[in-house]
């Protein structure tokens, strides 16, 4: 038995010695790999940066050529070079847009940029499906509140479910704002307004949490604002679903083009996508008008003295601002698209 | 002149041609670099994983050796191999702990793990300095409220500043919870409780926002809970500063050890750090007792019928839970340390 256990302990000793060796080797290999890739990355980075700046210079040269001495094909060539640089693998080595203050505030200085294009696309797809799930809740939550209001609560919402809904909105908008900032860091061209819009929505959700909903003699008059807000949220759910359908189709077009390596086509607005825009935009404009209307109504209830809390005025102003901003930015987007 | 502009356009044409060439070359280089590193990374990853599992197996073998047949030096060797693997460059290739649901909920599926050890340490340092800045505000905010309360507000806090403070707390705890989850993904050994603790604190801040502060005949009796809570927050600011000093010293010790590549020392609790623990822990225990006391007082005001909102009961229960959890986890940490 002694002999046996001697054998056993020798074996273990050997194995442990081997493990230590392996650990050292692995450390060596990992360290040399990391050092090697760092220097290679550095060189790719500087090449990408210098190409980027020379493309910029050439473009401004071309655009300053008023007399049209130059071949128009040159512009296309330049466009193509730009696409190769910004939509291919080299894009990972372009200088990073500085990550916004919002991300730094919540996450600290971590890097949220994915190195590979396919992961970036995955992040975007996940964002879209998150919005889908959200849109359903956006429909469900206010509908339930409105239905219960007229069936059970006799036109007077109790505070708790409304506050639950507002807390959910706060959580939701924070998540959306974080995700959109992350998308931006990953090279999305999202207009800054759509992100600011979510900051405003966060502020509104936060403020409305502190807002006294229930109470005093005339409950249903006091809750007129909340009631309108819920109806607006319902409509927003529908528009979000449409918007998502549109955005998803756009993304798929881009991925398909990307897979086919047709980078010499400027990412196109294909016919199907444009068609959807024609359905979407009127709905968006109606929603935006309704948003402004709800805002103005809130302001009026406050000024009429029915409800005199500062929260009501604040939310009213925010809603009007958001409606105007949304309208202006939607119009600007459409104008930019029609220029192509 | 014609000759001249011909020359010019030729030059530009040439330059653009060169740029397109460069873009193609760069795309090629970037793509082959990314593919190359992917496969090498893969192999390092599988080596790290197999070493990791064999170390685990050996350790359990050693620990099952009740009869002490084996050389105790073997345990040290094993420890050393573990340190090389988990604290060196190879650590980047160990399988990633799945990122928690909390991060996925807010950020989606992005990777928050830094590849390099030095960046991971930077993230940790930034977390510490964030906590420092926070601790100062933690002192400032409640002090101002308490001072104004007795000097200007005659013992009755107005709602707005308190709600501002609660909104700040919500923002703060969300940030801390996100950052701690990120640290965890980057290999920190933080106990899950300290993160759950911040989830509870988030819930409390959210709920207290909906809590009616002002009003009704006896304001100062109604605000007894808020008042106590502010005093507790003051004390917490002080303890946070001490805690930060301690954590920073611990981190510096680790960085220094890491820089000296003395990975054969198990990350030590050095004498200076242990000394600080002796100062810190009594203060922590007092704080935790006070936390439970505030919670119980809230519960009593609710049960006495002075304030009968559900928010008061909820916050009371949460505070007691948090105090108990903090206490248990602090004791467990100390016990684990004394075992070394
Ligand atoms: C008008 C609209 C449909 C145009 O969408 P679009 O064709 O994708 O617009 P752009 O071409 O400018 O898109 C650029 C980028 O921003 C993103 N984006 C555009 N609008 C966005 C929005 N509202 N939210 C988030 N991302 C948006 C796009 O996905 C695209 O991202 P990518 O570069 O990663 O592919 C869209 O902006 C929209 O829905 N706006 C109205 C929103 C609104 O008013 N909501 C509230 C209703 S009250
Ligand atoms: C008791 C205490 C001082 C021990 O700290 P410690 O020596 O760092 O504890 P551990 O060795 O278990 O630390 C393991 C890791 O968790 C981290 N950690 C420990 N406690 C933490 C806390 N409360 N918050 C955030 N991170 C913490 C450490 O920084 C370390 O991280 P690392 O692996 O990245 O280096 C600390 O846990 C503490 O301060 N607890 C009390 C907190 C409290 O009760 N606060 C509320 C007062 S009412």
């Amino acid at each position: 038995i002694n002999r046996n256990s001697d054998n056993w302990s020798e074996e273990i000793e050997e194995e442990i010695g081997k493990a230590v060796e392996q650990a050292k080797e692995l450390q060596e290999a990992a360290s040399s790999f990391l050092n090697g890739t760092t220097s290679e990355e550095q060189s790719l980075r500087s090449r990408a940066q210098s190409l980027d700046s020379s493309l910029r210079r050439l473009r401004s040269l071309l655009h300053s050529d008023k007399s049209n001495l130059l071949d128009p094909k040159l512009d296309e060539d330049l466009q193509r070079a730009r696409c190769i640089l910004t939509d291919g693998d080299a894009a990972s080595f372009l200088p990073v847009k500085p990550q916004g203050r919002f991300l730094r505030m919540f996450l600290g200085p971590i890097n949220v940029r994915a190195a590979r294009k396919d992961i970036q696309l995955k992040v975007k797809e996940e964002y879209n499906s998150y919005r889908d799930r959200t849109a359903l809740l956006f429909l469900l939550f206010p509908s339930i509140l409105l239905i219960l209001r007229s069936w059970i609560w006799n036109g007077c919402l109790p505070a708790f479910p409304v506050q639950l809904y507002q807390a959910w909105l706060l959580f939701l908008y924070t998540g959306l704002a974080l995700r959109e900032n992350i998308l931006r860091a990953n090279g999305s061209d999202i207009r800054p307004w759509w992100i600011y819009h979510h900051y405003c929505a966060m502020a509104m959700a936060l403020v409305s949490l502190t807002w006294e909903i229930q109470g005093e003699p005339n409950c249903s008059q006091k809750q007129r604002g909340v009631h309108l807000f819920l109806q607006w949220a319902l409509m927003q759910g529908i528009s979000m679903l449409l918007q998502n359908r549109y955005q998803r189709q756009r993304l798929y077009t881009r991925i398909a083009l990307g897979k086919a390596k047709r980078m010499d086509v400027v990412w196109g607005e294909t016919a199907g996508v444009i068609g959807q825009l024609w359905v979407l935009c009127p709905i968006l404009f109606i929603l935006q008008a309704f948003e402004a209307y709800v805002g103005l109504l809130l302001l009026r209830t406050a000024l009429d003295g029915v409800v005199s809390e500062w929260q009501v005025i604040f939310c009213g102003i925010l809603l009007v601002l958001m409606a105007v901003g949304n309208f202006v930015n939607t119009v600007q987007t459409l104008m930019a698209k029609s220029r192509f």
Side-chain angles (χ1 to χ4, degrees), chain A residues 94-105:
Chain A
L94 280 174
V96 186
K97 284 185 210 162
Q99 285 175 18
R101 269 167 56 80
F102 188 77
L103 278 185
R104 250 183 301 129
M105 248 169 29

Side-chain angles (χ1 to χ4, degrees), chain A residues 194-207:
Chain A
W194 304 126
I195 303 181
Y196 299 152
H197 171 244
H198 284 145
Y199 299 158
C200 292
M202 282 169 70
M204 203 164 78
L206 193 62
V207 166

Side-chain angles (χ1 to χ4, degrees), chain A residues 91 94-103 111-114 117 120 123-124 127 175-196 199 329:
Chain A
L94 280 174
V96 186
K97 284 185 210 162
Q99 285 175 18
R101 269 167 56 80
F102 188 77
L103 278 185
N111 173 35
V112 294
R113 191 181 151 103
K117 207 78 194 172
Q120 290 185 349
V123 171
K124 176 116 202 176
Y127 167 75
L176 282 175
L178 282 168
R179 280 161 193 252
E180 280 156 13
N181 271 297
I182 290 171
L183 285 179
R184 212 177 142 71
N186 279 300
S188 165
D189 294 323
I190 180 170
R191 276 169 173 270
W193 168 259
W194 304 126
I195 303 181
Y196 299 152
Y199 299 158
N329 278 277

